[in-house]
Every structure is written in C-alpha cells, then in structure tokens.
Amino acid sequence: MKHKKLLIVVVVVVLVLVAAAIGNYWDSKKPAPTSSPTPPATEPAPSAVPAPTPDVDAKAEILAAVENLVPDEYRGASYSCDILTSADGAGYIVSLQVDVDVDASKSSEVIASLEDAINGLGDARISSVEIIAVKDMQIVGTNTGA
C-alpha cells in the first residue's frame, strides 16, 4: 500500500514537471515583444508634460538674485531661502533664515543689512521680506516681514 501511494506521488510530480517543461518550450518559441512607436499609456506623451509656468520662472529668478546677496558666513546648518507666493497673489515673499555668530542685539544689524540688500534689487515682484537670524539653533532676531 505504501509503494502504491509513493508511485502515485512520483507520477503526479513527473507529470507536473513535464507540463512545465512543455510550457517553457512553447514560451521560448514566441517572438520577443517589439517596441511600440507610441509611448505606453503610463508615460505621458511629450506634449502632455507641462511647460514651466511664469510663476516658477519668476521664483527661480528671484531666488538666484537673493542667494547672490547672502554672504557665505550666513549659510550654516539652518540656512534656507524660499520664495513664497503671497496669499493674495500680489507678489512674492522672500523667506530667509540665516546663521549668525552674533548675539540678539547685533542680529538686528545683520537682518537690516540683508533686508536693505534685497530691497535694493528693486524687483517689484517682491512684496515682502521675512528674515530670521539663528545662532546655535536659537532664534536671535527677526524682522516684521513688511
């Protein structure tokens, strides 16, 4: 009885292996897929990719101009410079965070000089400037953003 069960299991396993081998043989005879002249549906067509908007271009221009004004000594671990769109859409906000090596009483001078330099660009697209001065990961000064 044990030999009969073993023989049945061996026959079933052999049949499965033969069927798999035949399937692999026929799969290997199929021609390879060719590339389609049209892009697959998952990729956007070149014309469907949006072009940069004037908003993105303006922000990039302002960012480059502002970053050229910031001395390297203020570009520490917490440095950031962002150009934000104002809520009412009437211009851009320059949001600047700089690292300083001065105390709170002197940080106002650093902020004022940076604000004057940014305003000196004369870019009418800039509606306000917000600057935060940070020393040792602590805020030591900020402007009103007006």
Side-chain angles (χ1 to χ4, degrees), residues 5-19:
K5 288 182 181 178
L6 181 61
L7 183 61
I8 291 172
V9 169
V10 169
V11 169
V12 169
V13 169
V14 168
L15 288 174
V16 169
L17 291 174
V18 169

Side-chain angles (χ1 to χ4, degrees), residues 24 32 38 44 49 57 61 65 68-70 73-74 83-85 87-88 91 97 100 106 121-122 129 138 144:
N24 286 339
T38 58
V49 176
D57 292 340
E61 290 171 11
N68 283 333
L69 299 174
V70 179
E73 66 187 280
Y74 300 145
I83 309 303
L84 311 170
T85 305
D88 61 4
Q97 181 170 307
V100 295
K106 299 273 186 185
L121 290 172
V129 178
Q138 299 291 322
T144 59

